[in-house]
Amino acid sequence: MNTLEKDLELKGVKGYREQIKNLYNLFNKCDATQLEINPWAVNPNNDIYSVDAKINIDDNAKFRQKEFTDMKKNSLATEDIDPHEDKAVAAGLNYVALDGNIGCMVNGAGLAMATMDIIKIKGGEPANFLDVGGGANVEQVKTAFEILSSHPKVETILINIFGGIMKCDVIAEGIIKAAQMVDLKLPLVCRLTGTNADKGNKMLSEFSAKNKNLKILVADNLDDAAVKAVSTLKK
């Protein structure tokens, strides 16, 4: 018996074992990645109740959990849900809208956090968390540009990509194609590092030189990228 069980037993709380079993079964049945109860409450008769809960469903299992996806769509709180989130999820992107004016597109959650931090350090404000994952293909980048371009406060987009599985020249080609497909007007600051980074940066610089309608600033490192992104903002 663990400390929590001992405490509940001493207080005469009833039904907690059944609650825990039910929560475990619910977690498995719903393909959950998180099931958080906060708080639990005990009434004067020492019956325990789960008063509030947060449940995250595995995106890969949503085809089995249509009841939950429909519940979200029909929720009274749908006006508080960013309409771009569903579009991002459908494209395999992780997206969270923020209140800043520099759109961020990265591949990797850790890289996203570092990018947002350095933007703030350099005097800017990130407008979102947008992770394109390991692929960063043309369709994903296109969707990312569409989402970021429609953000009411975004004035520039900072792309911070590590070319590991995907080579930087392939990523650069995807950025160029996607920008043309959506007729992107916002300035782009691109920081590519990893396999074929020099080749990818050269492709972006040459494209920018030939296409005056799209401003692409190639950064040497993340610090330089943040400085250049902030420099493009309207004063």
Side-chain angles (χ1 to χ4, degrees), residues 1 3 23-24 26 37 40 53 83 89-90 107 113 123 149 156 192 197 203-204 206 224:
M1 183 179 291
T3 303
L23 290 171
Y24 178 76
L26 178 65
I37 305 300
W40 260 345
V89 169
N107 63 337
M113 300 302 292
S149 297
T156 190
L192 304 181
M203 290 170 61
L204 292 172
E206 290 178 348
D224 182 43

Side-chain angles (χ1 to χ4, degrees), residues 11 14 17 36 62 75 80 89 99 139 155 164 168 170 186 202 208:
K11 292 178 179 178
K14 297 176 291 186
R17 285 193 176 93
E36 176 186 333
K62 284 185 175 178
S75 169
D80 298 325
V89 169
D99 293 327
E139 280 303 314
E155 298 177 23
C168 287
V170 177
L186 296 172
K202 183 180 179 181
S208 180

Side-chain angles (χ1 to χ4, degrees), residues 166-212:
M166 181 75 76
K167 296 178 181 179
C168 287
D169 55 323
V170 177
I171 294 170
E173 183 179 3
I175 291 171
I176 291 169
K177 287 181 178 179
Q180 291 174 311
M181 290 169 70
V182 300
D183 192 24
L184 189 67
K185 302 297 184 183
L186 296 172
L188 281 180
V189 178
C190 297
R191 183 253 184 169
L192 304 181
T193 186
T195 308
N196 290 353
D198 290 341
K199 185 176 180 181
N201 287 330
K202 183 180 179 181
M203 290 170 61
L204 292 172
S205 296
E206 290 178 348
F207 176 79
S208 180
K210 295 176 181 178
N211 295 268
K212 302 301 181 181

Side-chain angles (χ1 to χ4, degrees), residues 30-214:
C30 297
D31 295 301
T33 57
Q34 178 186 11
L35 177 50
E36 176 186 333
I37 305 300
N38 188 14
W40 260 345
V42 179
N43 70 8
N45 294 324
N46 280 339
D47 297 311
I48 191 168
Y49 293 91
S50 300
V51 178
D52 196 7
K54 178 179 180 181
I55 303 176
N56 287 337
I57 307 300
D58 189 338
D59 288 338
N60 296 313
K62 284 185 175 178
F63 70 96
R64 285 198 297 262
Q65 303 296 338
K66 192 172 184 300
E67 180 181 354
F68 287 100
T69 55
D70 289 345
M71 191 183 300
K72 178 180 177 181
K73 290 177 182 177
N74 298 326
S75 169
L76 293 176
T78 50
E79 66 270 14
D80 298 325
I81 299 173
D82 190 319
H84 297 308
E85 287 187 19
D86 286 337
K87 184 175 182 178
V89 169
L93 310 175
N94 295 309
Y95 172 77
V96 178
L98 302 173
D99 293 327
N101 50 9
I102 297 178
C104 306
M105 191 182 87
V106 305
N107 63 337
L111 206 57
M113 300 302 292
T115 303
M116 292 190 292
D117 284 346
I118 195 68
I119 285 173
K120 290 184 72 71
I121 289 171
K122 298 303 177 182
E125 289 293 335
N128 66 280
F129 172 109
L130 196 155
D131 175 13
V132 298
N137 58 48
V138 174
E139 280 303 314
Q140 285 181 316
V141 177
K142 174 179 174 287
T143 301
F145 284 161
E146 289 173 344
I147 291 172
L148 296 178
S149 297
S150 60
H151 190 295
K153 295 183 180 179
V154 168
E155 298 177 23
T156 190
I157 296 174
L158 193 163
I159 299 175
N160 185 17
I161 299 289
F162 173 74
I165 298 174
M166 181 75 76
K167 296 178 181 179
C168 287
D169 55 323
V170 177
I171 294 170
E173 183 179 3
I175 291 171
I176 291 169
K177 287 181 178 179
Q180 291 174 311
M181 290 169 70
V182 300
D183 192 24
L184 189 67
K185 302 297 184 183
L186 296 172
L188 281 180
V189 178
C190 297
R191 183 253 184 169
L192 304 181
T193 186
T195 308
N196 290 353
D198 290 341
K199 185 176 180 181
N201 287 330
K202 183 180 179 181
M203 290 170 61
L204 292 172
S205 296
E206 290 178 348
F207 176 79
S208 180
K210 295 176 181 178
N211 295 268
K212 302 301 181 181
N213 292 332
L214 178 59

